[in-house]
């Protein structure tokens, strides 16, 4: 491709010495559906990405390169080697250091497009904080790997009237479904009740091909761009379902259900539910997340002091963002918000015991 | 089972996750009837299939959707919806991964 080609957009033609934003995005402003006006809208847009794994990194990558001006990324997890096959913003070094995903993604996006502001949150997304995370967002994108968070996101977006896009991938298939509050079917119109954890296959149990991640996030990012530039007439309404292994592609009609408890009756059961006092959730295979007890929530741990205290009991490493303790055959990742992910068990009671022993009651 | 012609049959397309329970046949042809009868026919051919689609009480699992010619049967008559000869059914589970 020639580097001497002249950008054809209107802005660059009239202001050749201005910061060369039009040149940077020329290949998408040339596309009539976006144009210079659409690009300006993207620059001013604010998007929340909930979860920064396979879906989240690919979506953040596409939107940052497309020039979406502000990305808020929330994720509770840290980078591991088995993420690198499909989580495109991460590198081997991030896995070696066990970097928090939101932080590693923000750093990488800073190198990809320094014009984008990234607001990284290493946090569990809960009923307590989701409305703050959504505050000011034009759009939310689902990068989660569980239905607990998706049903919460559905409730919060309906309540705050913010569009969001459900994406999901597993094995060789995936779905993308834009949700315009009170206009199109919401998640509960389609799937009325949240599947219980452990009742549906996950990427940890059934695996996932990186190609389906690219396809689904390519569709979702394009739907996001349509929404952000105001091309809602072009939106792929309903659910798009693709299976790359079986070579199938379906567009499914999903009308709104008038008696939907969430978007029909305004009952936000998942948003209103009190946090599970037990504070323990399965977090992939052979790992359990433990949240601090109510009394400790909102407090910030002094990781340096904790590292000193734990040094005599096990192998402690810190990357400045979290502590890693290896002890008794467990790997305990401790975050500043006093959450911990305990690897080496599927048993919540065991995880709670390990947490109490090393982090606190 | 009598051999069905395509015109007499309902085609059922299964998601990848269920193929292993159906001898890896992605498209299955069963006699026309209500969706409940279609599921009975699937169970007869592939014992255990009903468990993946329905709760013990017989209702559709909340995270399983069945589309009749592209329309969700929840918007029709649910499991009592008639699936006429020539119809196509697509079974779509919710997708959790990400």
């Amino acid at each position: 491709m020639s580097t001497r080609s002249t950008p054809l957009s209107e802005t660059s033609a009239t202001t050749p010495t201005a910061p060369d934003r039009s040149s940077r995005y020329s290949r998408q402003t040339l596309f009539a559906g976006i144009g210079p006006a659409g690009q300006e809208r993207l620059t001013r847009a604010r998007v929340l990405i909930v979860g920064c794994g396979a879906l989240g990194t690919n979506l953040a990558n596409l939107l940052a390169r497309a020039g979406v001006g502000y990305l808020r990324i929330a994720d509770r997890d840290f980078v591991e080697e088995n993420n690198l096959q499909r989580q495109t913003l991460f590198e081997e070094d991030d896995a070696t250091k066990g970097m928090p995903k939101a932080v590693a993604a923000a750093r990488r996006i800073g190198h990809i497009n320094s014009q984008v502001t990234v607001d990284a949150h290493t946090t569990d997304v809960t009923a307590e904080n989701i409305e703050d995370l959504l505050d000011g967002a034009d759009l939310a994108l689902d990068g989660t790997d569980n239905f607990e968070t998706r049903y919460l996101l559905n409730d919060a977006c309906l309540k705050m009237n913010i569009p969001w896009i459900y994406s999901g991938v597993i094995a060789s298939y995936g779905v993308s479904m834009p949700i315009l509050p009170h206009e199109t079917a919401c998640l509960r119109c389609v799937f009325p009740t949240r599947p219980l954890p452990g009742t549906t296959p996950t990427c940890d149990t059934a695996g996932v091909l990186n190609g389906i991640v690219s396809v689904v996030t390519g569709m979702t990012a394009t739907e996001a761009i349509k929404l952000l530039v105001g091309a809602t007439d072009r939106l792929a309404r309903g659910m798009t379902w693709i299976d790359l292994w079986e070579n199938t592609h379906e567009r499914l009609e999903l009308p709104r259900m008038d008696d939907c408890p969430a978007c029909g009756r305004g009952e936000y059961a998942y948003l209103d539910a009190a946090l599970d006092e037990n504070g323990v959730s399965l977090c992939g295979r052979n790992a359990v997340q433990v949240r601090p007890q109510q009394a400790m929530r909102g407090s910030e741990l002094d990781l340096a002091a904790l590292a000193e205290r734990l040094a005599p009991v096990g192998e402690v490493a810190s990357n400045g963002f979290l502590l890693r303790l290896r002890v008794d055959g467990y790997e305990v990742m401790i975050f500043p918000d006093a959450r911990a992910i305990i690897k080496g068990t599927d048993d919540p009671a065991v995880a709670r015991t390990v947490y109490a022993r090393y982090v606190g009651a | 089972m009598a051999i069905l012609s395509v015109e007499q049959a309902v085609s059922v397309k299964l998601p990848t996750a269920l193929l292993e329970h159906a001898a890896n046949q992605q498209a299955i042809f069963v006699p026309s009837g209500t969706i409940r009868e279609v599921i009975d026919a699937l169970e007869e051919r592939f014992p255990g299939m009903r468990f993946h689609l329905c709760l013990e009480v017989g209702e559709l699992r909340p995270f399983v959707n069945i589309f009749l010619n592209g329309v969700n049967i929840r918007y029709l008559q649910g499991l009592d919806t008639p699936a006429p000869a020539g119809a196509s059914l697509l079974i779509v589970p919710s997708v959790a991964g990400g």
Side-chain angles (χ1 to χ4, degrees):
Chain A
M1 189 179 295
S2 166
T3 54
R4 294 170 60 85
S5 62
T6 307
L8 295 179
S9 80
E10 199 177 314
T11 317
S12 69
T14 53
T15 56
T17 56
D20 216 1
R21 179 176 291 162
S22 57
S23 174
R24 175 170 194 138
Y25 302 115
S26 63
R27 298 307 186 271
Q28 79 187 22
T29 53
L30 277 168
F31 178 68
I34 296 179
Q39 192 61 49
E40 274 307 307
R41 285 183 166 209
L42 293 180
T43 304
R44 291 195 303 271
R46 298 168 72 91
V47 175
L48 170 67
I49 299 177
V50 182
C52 195
L55 295 171
T57 53
N58 279 270
L59 289 168
N61 180 40
L62 289 168
L63 294 192
R65 287 180 192 274
V68 171
Y70 182 98
L71 297 176
R72 183 176 292 152
I73 299 175
D75 190 281
R76 67 185 179 184
D77 210 351
F78 59 93
V79 182
E80 296 177 272
E81 192 184 26
N82 69 23
N83 301 151
L84 302 179
Q85 165 249 8
R86 66 203 176 283
Q87 302 188 12
T88 50
L89 292 176
F90 305 141
E91 299 171 0
E92 288 179 355
D93 191 48
D94 298 319
T96 307
K97 291 178 177 162
M99 292 295 289
K101 289 184 174 180
V103 172
R107 280 189 180 170
R108 184 71 193 281
I109 292 168
H111 293 300
I112 291 169
N113 190 346
S114 58
Q115 295 171 354
V116 175
T117 302
V118 183
D119 180 20
H121 293 256
T122 300
T123 181
D124 207 13
V125 175
T126 66
E128 284 176 343
N129 65 10
I130 193 164
E131 290 180 63
D132 287 340
L133 289 168
L134 277 167
D135 187 38
D138 301 301
L139 171 69
L141 297 181
D142 159 26
T144 68
D145 60 359
N146 66 85
F147 276 110
E148 213 176 350
T149 316
R150 285 192 181 99
Y151 278 73
L152 188 61
L153 185 60
N154 189 59
D155 275 3
C157 285
L158 290 171
K159 182 179 173 188
M160 296 174 75
N161 210 26
I162 296 171
W164 73 283
I165 306 179
Y166 161 43
S167 304
V169 287
I170 198 151
S172 59
Y173 58 92
V175 296
S176 173
M177 175 185 164
I179 294 169
L180 304 181
H182 313 291
E183 189 181 327
T184 66
C186 81
L187 190 65
R188 289 193 72 186
C189 291
V190 187
F191 302 113
T193 314
R194 189 182 75 189
L196 291 171
T199 59
T200 54
T202 69
C203 296
D204 285 331
T205 59
V208 61
L209 298 184
N210 56 15
I212 192 64
V213 176
S214 296
V215 170
V216 165
T217 53
M219 287 194 304
T220 296
T222 306
E223 295 310 300
I225 287 172
K226 290 178 194 174
L227 279 166
L228 295 173
V229 304
T232 47
D233 59 326
R234 291 290 190 273
L235 214 58
R237 287 166 194 257
M239 183 186 282
T240 306
W241 165 280
I242 292 185
D243 189 325
L244 291 183
W245 204 258
E246 302 300 333
N247 312 310
T248 54
H249 178 192
E250 310 276 348
R251 268 282 295 286
L252 305 168
E253 282 179 43
L254 300 168
R256 264 192 73 207
M257 298 285 270
D258 288 336
D259 62 346
C260 168
C263 76
R265 301 202 296 269
E267 297 163 9
Y268 304 126
Y270 300 96
L271 190 58
D272 294 339
L275 269 185
D276 176 9
E277 268 314 295
N278 190 22
V280 177
S281 53
L282 290 173
C283 183
R285 193 157 57 179
N286 206 28
V288 178
Q289 174 181 260
V290 181
R291 292 192 202 99
Q293 302 283 11
Q294 190 71 43
M296 276 176 75
R297 285 187 195 144
S299 58
E300 185 101 339
L301 281 184
D302 181 345
L303 289 184
L306 185 60
E308 209 169 302
R309 182 161 68 77
L310 292 175
V313 300
E315 182 193 327
V316 181
S318 171
N319 60 21
F321 298 96
L322 52 84
L323 276 192
R324 177 165 56 197
L325 166 69
R326 289 200 172 105
V327 64
D328 298 341
Y330 302 109
E331 188 174 57
V332 186
M333 308 297 279
I334 306 165
F335 295 83
D337 61 2
R339 269 183 316 119
I341 293 175
I342 292 147
K343 291 178 68 180
T345 181
D346 279 329
D347 184 339
V350 170
R352 176 56 81 191
T353 305
V354 172
Y355 182 93
R357 186 177 303 153
Y358 299 111
V359 185
Chain B
M1 180 185 279
I3 294 173
L4 292 167
S5 73
V6 171
E7 292 75 28
Q8 294 171 311
V10 173
S11 81
V12 183
K13 224 169 174 183
L14 294 175
T16 314
L18 291 182
L19 290 183
E20 61 177 299
H21 306 291
N24 281 315
Q25 295 178 47
Q26 204 194 19
I28 297 156
F29 293 92
V30 296
S32 59
T34 64
I35 305 290
R36 203 183 300 278
E37 287 163 349
V38 167
I39 292 173
D40 288 344
L42 288 174
E43 174 69 18
E44 196 177 307
R45 294 261 293 277
F46 308 107
M49 180 63 79
R50 189 190 283 114
F51 170 82
H52 296 284
L53 305 176
C54 297
L55 300 167
E56 274 97 5
V57 291
E59 289 309 300
L60 209 57
R61 289 186 182 273
F63 53 89
V64 172
N65 276 336
I66 298 181
F67 291 84
L68 170 66
N69 296 331
V71 181
N72 194 328
I73 63 162
R74 290 187 201 284
Y75 307 128
L76 304 170
Q77 293 142 258
L79 292 176
D80 296 322
T81 306
S88 68
L89 289 182
L90 177 68
I91 297 177
V92 178
S94 55
V95 183

